[in-house]
Amino acid sequence: MPATDYQGSFLGRISIRRNQVMAMEGGHDQEVEDLEIFQRHVGDRFADLLASPTEDGNEVLLSIAWLRKLADMFLCCEAEFKALLMMGSDPSQISKPPLDRLIPEFLERVVKSLDICNAVSLGIESVRNFQKLAEIAVSALQQRPIGDGQVRRAKKALNSLITAMMVEDKDHSNGKSTERSWSFGRRSAASNKERAFGQFRSLSWNMAKGWSAAKQIHAMSSNLTAPRGGESSGLAMPFFIMSNVFVFVMWALVAAIPCQERNGLATHFPLPRQLSWAQPMIGLQEKIVEEWKKKEKKGSPGLLFEMQRLEKLGQSLIEFADSFQFPAEAESLQELKVQVEELADICRKMEEDLVPLQQQIREVFHRIVRSRAEVLDIYDQATKLSTPNV
């Protein structure tokens, strides 16, 4: 079910269940049941992500399709969390420990998530430009008969692609500013010329100087302690669960998409191994960390599956171009055809899915903004009710 449909059905459930809870003496039992359902749903959704198919499928780990699925999963979890909060928001409890501490900490994580959404959306712009360079190479290498001119044109585009990835990795890893030669929907004549000759650095806008994706993630994952005793059956648990969902989703997005300054993120952040809903999340974390450490040794702007394929095919085709002699042998042309077709297929998938992914990230951003306002409103009202009149 799409996230928007899921949210609509869940909000409808709120009104019905709220009336039911008010009419029942066992309201607490109902809250416990709702919490158990929420935990089960979170675990099931992450288990579905963990069960993504291999490279032959369409949702391989950290592919564009997988990230779109991740974004949908987040929106569903967020809708259900908000429903649970609205149903169980007892002002007398929200203004008392541990919620009087957990809610402000949660809101801080939310703000940091907004920054990460912006950084990821901008990083997707870089990926789209990697795609454009690959398309230039595909266009040149699909020409028949193929001659020196086509091979030189393809090699120039592929060298620019590999160089751009290396620059993106270096600048984003070290937190250095890059040139602003790309703006949303507009390109200057100078940037067109640079692109044609492959003489450009990063094509993404930048976050503020000194902004660090790694610091944001580390700050979000700090002070995450599982509720104990009676707290584990109250609203403290949904806040803890959703905080972990926030941290994981933002961390996975930063792992996949080029973002400014990511040093130190190829490590495990603490997840509650004793809780069943966290097990598939831990499994995903271990897989991503393994991939990150492998790519970190070689240097890479991100773990996005399609980017890794672009890089590998680009390097292979550059080797072909270096050894090309006209007329090419039939065996060499057949090998070239296979690689170019794979590169073209990746470009098509990127063309179809990168913009929708970017739109989903923006939807996540706006949903977070609305949810923050709603949680803040509930918290403020509870605080006012608990403050004695002077």
Side-chain angles (χ1 to χ4, degrees):
M1 180 184 294
T4 51
D5 293 344
Y6 187 94
Q7 184 188 28
S9 65
F10 216 89
L11 292 178
R13 175 175 175 263
I14 293 174
S15 177
I16 298 171
R17 291 293 292 277
R18 180 179 291 161
N19 293 333
Q20 290 175 343
V21 169
M22 290 176 65
M24 294 171 56
E25 292 182 359
H28 177 69
D29 293 339
Q30 188 62 63
E31 291 175 9
V32 172
E33 181 184 342
D34 287 341
L35 175 57
E36 290 176 352
I37 293 172
F38 177 55
Q39 293 182 79
R40 186 167 66 249
H41 286 177
V42 170
D44 289 346
R45 292 185 187 111
F46 275 96
D48 189 31
L49 286 169
L50 182 59
S52 295
T54 60
E55 292 187 12
D56 293 333
N58 293 322
E59 293 177 356
V60 59
L61 183 69
L62 296 178
S63 64
I64 299 172
W66 189 90
L67 291 179
R68 293 191 63 188
K69 191 173 180 179
L70 177 74
D72 274 337
M73 182 277 299
F74 174 84
L75 292 171
C76 288
C77 288
E78 186 276 340
E80 190 164 348
F81 163 75
K82 189 164 59 178
L84 198 62
L85 176 61
M86 293 174 68
M87 287 175 59
S89 56
D90 181 353
S92 66
Q93 298 301 315
I94 287 178
S95 59
K96 295 178 181 178
L99 293 178
D100 63 336
R101 172 182 57 84
L102 293 177
I103 294 179
E105 289 178 356
F106 176 79
L107 293 172
E108 281 296 315
R109 292 186 184 97
V110 166
V111 171
K112 289 177 171 57
S113 295
L114 295 175
D115 279 346
I116 292 173
C117 285
N118 277 331
V120 169
S121 183
L122 298 176
I124 292 173
E125 288 295 320
S126 293
V127 179
R128 290 177 65 188
N129 283 282
F130 298 158
Q131 169 205 333
K132 299 303 180 186
L133 288 168
E135 287 174 347
I136 293 173
V138 168
S139 176
L141 294 175
Q142 284 180 333
Q143 300 295 318
R144 292 294 182 272
I146 187 168
D148 290 332
Q150 289 86 2
V151 172
R152 283 197 300 270
R153 182 167 180 255
K155 181 181 177 181
K156 184 177 292 186
L158 292 170
N159 277 326
S160 296
L161 169 64
I162 301 302
T163 300
M165 285 186 170
M166 292 173 61
V167 168
E168 201 76 38
D169 177 48
K170 180 180 178 182
D171 287 339
H172 283 159
S173 294
N174 297 325
K176 295 179 180 179
S177 296
T178 52
E179 294 177 12
R180 293 185 175 183
S181 53
W182 180 275
S183 61
F184 292 107
R186 294 183 299 172
R187 274 172 281 181
S188 66
S191 64
N192 276 329
K193 182 178 179 181
E194 287 174 350
R195 178 181 163 200
F197 289 93
Q199 302 297 321
F200 61 86
R201 290 168 64 80
S202 172
L203 292 180
S204 64
W205 284 89
N206 302 299
M207 299 297 290
K209 184 177 181 181
W211 185 88
S212 163
K215 289 180 180 178
Q216 297 289 93
I217 298 293
H218 286 312
M220 289 178 66
S221 61
S222 65
N223 301 321
L224 268 176
T225 305
R228 298 178 180 178
E231 295 177 358
S232 62
S233 62
L235 279 178
M237 183 56 80
F239 275 102
F240 175 69
I241 294 172
M242 198 62 205
S243 290
N244 278 280
V245 172
F246 264 99
V247 174
F248 180 89
V249 170
M250 297 304 150
W251 175 79
L253 288 172
V254 168
I257 305 295
C259 284
Q260 185 171 303
E261 210 287 289
R262 302 182 302 169
N263 288 334
L265 282 183
T267 56
H268 295 76
F269 52 85
L271 285 168
R273 292 184 174 274
Q274 73 278 15
L275 298 176
S276 59
W277 57 264
Q279 294 306 309
M281 197 183 298
I282 292 170
L284 281 168
Q285 184 189 58
E286 290 173 346
K287 281 190 172 184
I288 294 172
V289 166
E290 183 180 348
E291 286 299 309
W292 204 329
K293 287 182 177 178
K294 285 193 296 186
K295 297 298 188 295
E296 202 172 43
K297 293 178 182 178
K298 297 186 294 183
S300 172
L303 299 182
L304 187 69
F305 173 75
E306 287 81 3
M307 269 201 314
Q308 301 305 319
R309 296 303 301 157
L310 285 187
E311 183 179 16
K312 184 175 181 179
L313 288 167
Q315 290 172 341
S316 178
L317 289 170
I318 287 173
E319 291 176 5
F320 165 83
D322 287 339
S323 60
F324 176 79
Q325 288 184 345
F326 182 84
E329 297 179 357
E331 183 178 349
S332 178
L333 287 176
Q334 181 59 34
E335 183 179 347
L336 172 67
K337 180 182 178 183
V338 171
Q339 293 191 14
V340 172
E341 285 179 351
E342 183 178 353
L343 188 61
D345 184 59
I346 293 171
C347 288
R348 280 193 297 271
K349 290 179 179 178
M350 295 176 80
E351 180 68 26
E352 292 170 0
D353 290 336
L354 274 175
V355 171
L357 172 62
Q358 194 171 44
Q359 291 171 343
Q360 281 179 290
I361 298 301
R362 288 169 180 165
E363 182 182 355
V364 167
F365 178 95
H366 291 297
R367 179 77 70 80
I368 292 173
V369 169
R370 291 195 299 270
S371 294
R372 180 181 181 276
E374 291 167 357
V375 173
L376 191 58
D377 185 55
I378 292 172
Y379 182 68
D380 287 344
Q381 289 181 22
T383 303
K384 290 176 183 177
L385 289 173
S386 65
T387 303
N389 294 325
V390 181

